[in-house]
């Protein structure tokens, strides 16, 4: 037996099929209160007077298909992820041009890059309040508007202050989107498609990084204004999202939380592409009624206090925070924001070549995100994240070993040019120590691709040449090379290989630190993360009511030790 609900009228139709014959019961009523659904015995009560019928359903649930409207909704929502990815990818190439155009110090570079992350962190917290009172739809519209404004400010920036302001405004939009978009998609998606649709947001993040890297490469030849196009074009997808979301519905779960059940039913029907939504609707309503009753009983407490005091919510919050922490601390921001710089450190001299190679690594990241989208609902979230962490761990080891071996085999300074005697660059005795200084670069004769002879450490003000000595020209003699931020080494290629492997899965001391963090993350996630494949959001919450456990099967969850780590 299947249930059909006409969401646009006051007619409730329940079709009952038997083995050899089909019968239909058509109920006409103008009062929806006379029709109620009971999940306890899978029945529908029609009316509350004697003689009214109780129809017991024997529903055969069909696998939910991905409707065109749901795909369109996920696409427009995931543009928020694209914007985040685009900003992450575009800054890698843009910083190479900004450094020359604005004569940026290392501190200014760090501020321009990190101010976006800082403002995003602050406003991702603030967006929780916006989501609660304004809804997911309006919050996303606000975020896309702010991001567009930030892109415009960056495109017309005339000084460092405008660059920092524009990047901060971008961070506000990113913070709002990063909090709201996954929530909106998860609340709209059916349980069997939720993992794949939420992962679309991650796909758009890596897609945005790849598109940004390609545009970086295309505009890298315009040394004066190329960075303006790189930053300004970010406003195009955010403007598309801004307009598109005026025509998309609000999250049905948010509507139910505000008591708008009729509107929520219509939205569910439209998103699902069919009218078999009554059971799902009642489950959501029941869950919100339980939460509302719990809230009323603890009205004097702040919501964060209720979260901490509720064991299942507390466990989910802790584990979710760990997932985000290890994702960020595994080095993804360092790798993506400075991928072009890292590639230059492997010995790539041309800025444009380094930017294009950064686009290649971003493409690898994008392709393997597609693999993740394909695998997430096939092998499950738990296995996928653990295998991904293992790949990240291996790649970080390669990166760390590559930079460590390169540092240990740094070419020596063997030539001391008299003109540099009064410079502090004269005190350095290796390429590694020389290029670590912000005022010194390594000038050498190239013996072959990866070795150097007659190296000297010279001061510079223009990164393209030394301010004195043999390399005081942009047109050097044959085999004479100027390197202000890298050292030639046969082991440098390990850095590029490690970077590619890292993106497929997801200073030397820095990468060893990331290695340690990923090992800790792998152990904690392996021990505590349950599988949520095919589970509704309400069922996912039930998983965390079973205590700390990594197995997703309900029968095995019963045997999980509920006394470990957390206690009531």
């Amino acid at each position: 037996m299947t249930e059909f609900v006409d969401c646009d009228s006051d007619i409730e139709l329940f079709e009952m099929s038997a083995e050899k014959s089909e019968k239909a019961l058509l109920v006409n009523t103008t009062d929806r209160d006379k029709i109620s659904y009971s999940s306890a015995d899978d029945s529908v009560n029609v009316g509350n007077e004697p003689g009214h019928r109780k129809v017991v359903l024997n529903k055969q649930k069909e696998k939910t298909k991905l409707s065109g409207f749901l795909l369109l909704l996920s696409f427009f929502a995931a543009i928020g992820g694209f914007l985040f990815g685009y900003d992450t990818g575009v800054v890698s190439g843009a910083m190479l041009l900004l450094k020359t155009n604005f004569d940026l110090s290392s501190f200014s570079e760090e501020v321009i890059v990190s101010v976006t992350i800082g403002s995003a962190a602050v406003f991702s917290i603030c967006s929780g309040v916006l989501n609660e009172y304004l809804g997911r739809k309006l919050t996303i519209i606000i975020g896309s508007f702010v991001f567009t404004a930030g892109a415009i400010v960056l495109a017309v920036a005339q000084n460092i202050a405008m660059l920092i302001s524009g990047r901060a405004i971008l961070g506000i939009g990113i913070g709002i989107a990063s909090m709201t978009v996954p929530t909106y998609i998860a609340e709209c998606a059916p349980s069997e498609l939720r993992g794949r649709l939420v992962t679309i947001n991650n796909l758009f993040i890596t897609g945005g990084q790849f598109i940004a890297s390609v545009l970086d490469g295309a505009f890298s030849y315009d040394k004066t204004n190329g960075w303006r196009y790189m930053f300004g074009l970010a406003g195009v997808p955010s403007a598309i999202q801004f307009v598109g979301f005026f025509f998309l519905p609000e999250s049905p779960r948010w509507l139910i939380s505000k008591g708008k059940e009729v509107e929520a039913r219509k939205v569910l029907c439209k998103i699902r592409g069919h009218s078999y939504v009554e059971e799902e609707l009642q489950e959501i309503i029941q869950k919100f009624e339980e939460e509302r009753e719990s809230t009323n009983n603890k009205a004097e407490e702040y919501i964060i206090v209720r979260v901490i005091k509720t064991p299942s919510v507390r466990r989910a919050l802790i584990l979710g925070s760990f997932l985000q922490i290890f994702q960020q601390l595994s080095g993804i921001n360092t790798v993506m924001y400075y991928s072009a710089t890292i590639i230059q450190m492997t010995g790539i001299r041309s800025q444009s070549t380094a930017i294009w190679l950064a686009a290649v690594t971003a493409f690898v990241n994008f392709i393997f995100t597609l693999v993740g989208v394909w695998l997430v609902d096939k092998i499950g979230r738990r296995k996928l994240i653990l295998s991904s962490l293992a790949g990240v761990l291996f790649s970080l080891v390669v990166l760390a070993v590559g930079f460590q071996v390169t540092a240990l085999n740094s070419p020596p300074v063997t030539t001391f040019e008299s003109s540099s005697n009064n410079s502090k660059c004269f005190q350095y005795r290796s390429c590694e120590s020389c290029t670590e200084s912000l005022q010194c670069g390594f000038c050498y004769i190239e013996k072959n691709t990866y070795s150097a002879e007659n190296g000297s450490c010279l001061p510079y003000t223009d990164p393209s040449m030394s301010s004195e000595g043999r390399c005081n020209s942009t047109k050097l003699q044959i085999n004479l090379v100027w390197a202000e931020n890298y050292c030639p080494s046969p082991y440098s290629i390990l850095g590029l290989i490690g970077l590619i492997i890292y993106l497929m899965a997801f200073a030397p001391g820095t990468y060893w630190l990331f290695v340690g963090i990923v090992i800790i993350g792998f152990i904690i996630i392996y021990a505590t993360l349950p599988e949520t494949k095919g589970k509704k959001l309400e069922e996912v919450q039930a998983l965390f009511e079973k205590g700390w456990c990594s197995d997703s099967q309900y029968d095995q969850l019963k045997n999980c030790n509920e006394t470990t780590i957390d206690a009531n």
Side-chain angles (χ1 to χ4, degrees):
M1 178 182 302
T2 57
E3 172 192 4
F4 177 82
V5 181
D6 185 351
C7 298
D8 296 322
S9 69
D10 289 319
I11 298 177
E12 306 284 343
L13 175 64
F14 298 97
E15 297 178 333
M16 299 173 291
S17 59
E19 185 174 337
K20 293 184 179 180
S21 63
E22 294 186 357
K23 298 180 181 179
L25 170 65
L26 180 63
V27 181
N28 290 280
T29 178
T30 57
D31 187 358
R32 287 185 180 272
D33 292 336
K34 294 181 180 179
I35 300 178
S36 61
Y37 171 79
S38 173
S39 59
D41 58 356
D42 203 23
S43 66
V44 172
N45 293 287
V46 183
N48 48 23
E49 299 295 334
H52 285 134
R53 301 187 60 181
K54 179 177 182 177
V55 183
V56 179
L57 307 176
N58 180 25
K59 298 186 296 181
Q60 298 175 347
K61 294 185 179 179
E62 300 179 0
K63 186 176 181 179
T64 303
K65 297 181 180 179
L66 183 62
S67 66
F69 183 77
L70 180 58
L71 189 62
L72 181 67
L73 178 149
S74 300
F75 170 81
F76 273 97
I79 290 177
F82 179 90
L83 298 176
F84 177 61
Y86 185 92
D87 177 76
T88 305
V90 79
V91 75
S92 173
M95 288 307 298
L96 295 180
L97 302 182
L98 287 174
K99 184 177 181 179
T100 303
N101 279 270
F102 289 90
D103 193 22
L104 298 177
S105 65
S106 294
F107 178 75
S108 297
E109 285 187 70
E110 293 168 1
V111 170
I112 291 172
V113 171
S114 61
V115 69
T116 301
I117 304 173
S119 60
V122 171
F123 278 87
S124 63
I125 299 174
C126 297
S127 65
V129 178
L130 296 177
N131 274 278
E132 174 66 22
Y133 292 100
L134 302 181
R136 291 31 165 166
K137 175 180 176 178
L138 184 55
T139 301
I140 292 176
I141 289 174
I142 293 172
S144 58
F145 174 80
V146 172
F147 192 97
T148 305
I152 294 173
V153 172
L154 283 172
V156 300
Q158 300 297 318
N159 49 53
I160 296 177
M162 289 188 69
L163 285 173
I164 294 174
S165 299
R167 294 281 297 163
I169 295 172
L170 280 185
I172 296 174
I174 290 173
I176 293 174
S178 62
M179 175 73 175
T180 310
V181 168
T183 301
Y184 180 76
I185 296 176
E187 290 184 345
C188 292
S191 58
E192 54 267 48
L193 296 175
R194 189 181 66 252
R196 193 173 303 175
L197 291 176
V198 171
T199 309
I200 286 180
N201 186 56
N202 294 332
L203 176 65
F204 271 54
I205 292 176
T206 56
Q209 291 168 345
F210 171 61
I211 296 298
S213 298
V214 171
L215 292 177
D216 279 353
F219 291 116
S220 65
Y221 302 101
D222 184 350
K223 305 297 183 182
T224 303
N225 293 310
W227 60 271
R228 296 187 185 276
Y229 300 112
M230 296 176 187
F231 284 131
L233 285 174
V236 175
S238 60
I240 293 174
Q241 185 185 53
F242 176 79
V243 175
F245 250 84
F246 281 100
F247 303 96
L248 292 176
E250 180 55 83
S251 159
R253 281 178 169 80
W254 184 83
L255 291 171
I256 290 174
S257 71
K258 300 303 177 182
K260 301 179 180 180
E261 297 176 8
V262 174
E263 187 176 349
R265 179 185 281 108
K266 292 181 180 180
V267 170
L268 269 179
C269 289
K270 191 171 185 179
I271 293 175
R272 297 293 179 264
H274 59 72
S275 298
Y276 305 97
V277 299
E278 197 65 27
E279 180 179 1
E280 180 180 3
L281 184 68
Q282 294 301 324
E283 288 179 357
I284 299 172
I285 293 174
Q286 181 181 358
K287 180 61 64 176
F288 273 105
E289 287 177 349
E290 293 174 358
E291 292 179 0
R292 193 174 292 117
E293 182 179 351
S294 176
T295 300
N296 292 335
N297 294 335
K298 303 177 181 179
E300 71 283 357
E301 295 180 347
Y302 291 105
I303 186 169
I304 186 63
V305 176
R306 295 200 303 270
V307 166
I308 294 174
K309 285 187 174 182
T310 306
S312 62
V313 180
R314 181 173 64 246
R315 294 178 189 121
L317 175 64
I318 293 173
L319 183 55
S321 298
F322 269 126
L323 288 173
Q324 287 298 317
I325 288 171
F326 288 123
Q327 177 190 12
Q328 297 302 312
L329 295 185
S330 63
I332 184 62
N333 286 328
T334 300
V335 168
M336 293 310 302
Y337 282 128
Y338 296 101
S339 58
T341 302
I342 293 172
I343 290 172
Q344 271 201 318
M345 291 171 63
T346 65
I348 303 300
R349 302 171 193 169
S350 168
Q351 284 186 347
S352 295
T353 302
I355 291 173
W356 278 115
L357 286 175
V360 172
T361 60
F363 179 70
V364 172
N365 191 24
F366 173 69
I367 291 299
F368 276 84
T369 305
L370 286 173
V371 175
V373 172
W374 178 65
L375 289 176
V376 66
D377 283 324
K378 293 184 178 295
I379 68 173
R381 286 75 158 159
R382 174 178 159 81
K383 291 180 180 178
L384 190 60
I385 193 172
L386 289 174
S387 60
S388 177
L389 275 175
V392 168
L393 176 61
F394 174 73
S395 64
L396 284 173
V397 170
V398 174
L399 272 170
V401 169
F403 285 114
Q404 190 73 63
V405 173
T406 299
L408 294 175
N409 291 272
S410 177
V413 173
T414 58
T415 301
F416 301 94
E417 302 184 39
S418 59
S419 58
S420 65
N421 289 343
N422 296 325
S423 169
K424 72 173 185 178
C425 301
F426 182 74
Q427 64 184 324
Y428 299 119
R429 294 295 182 266
S430 70
C431 177
E432 177 73 15
S433 59
C434 176
T435 55
E436 283 181 352
S437 171
L438 298 178
Q439 289 82 35
C440 304
F442 192 62
C443 181
Y444 67 96
I445 295 176
E446 187 176 54
K447 184 178 180 180
N448 55 51
T449 306
Y450 298 112
S451 64
E453 287 183 345
N454 299 327
S456 60
C457 187
L458 300 174
Y460 73 88
T461 54
D462 181 353
S464 63
M465 62 180 181
S466 64
S467 56
E468 54 188 62
R470 294 175 296 168
C471 291
N472 184 21
S473 174
T474 55
K475 296 181 180 179
L476 301 176
Q477 300 175 7
I478 297 176
N479 295 334
L480 190 61
V481 179
W482 169 248
E484 92 283 1
N485 64 352
Y486 74 91
C487 294
S489 170
Y491 305 102
S492 297
I493 192 65
L494 287 175
L496 184 58
I497 294 173
L499 180 62
I500 293 175
I501 296 175
Y502 180 92
L503 294 176
M504 287 172 61
F506 172 42
T510 299
Y511 290 101
W512 284 120
L513 174 63
F514 291 153
V515 167
I517 291 172
V518 171
I519 291 175
I520 295 172
F522 185 92
I523 294 172
I524 292 178
I525 291 171
Y526 180 82
T528 62
L529 179 66
E531 180 57 73
T532 58
K533 175 184 176 182
K535 299 291 188 295
K536 298 178 181 178
L537 292 179
E538 290 72 27
E539 293 173 334
V540 171
Q541 181 174 341
L543 288 176
F544 291 96
E545 294 173 354
K546 304 292 183 178
W548 289 100
C549 185
S550 61
D551 203 311
S552 65
Q553 300 300 320
Y554 282 110
D555 55 342
Q556 294 176 341
L557 272 169
K558 294 177 181 178
N559 300 323
C560 190
N561 186 3
E562 297 184 16
T563 64
T564 60
I565 302 178
D566 201 349
N568 292 334

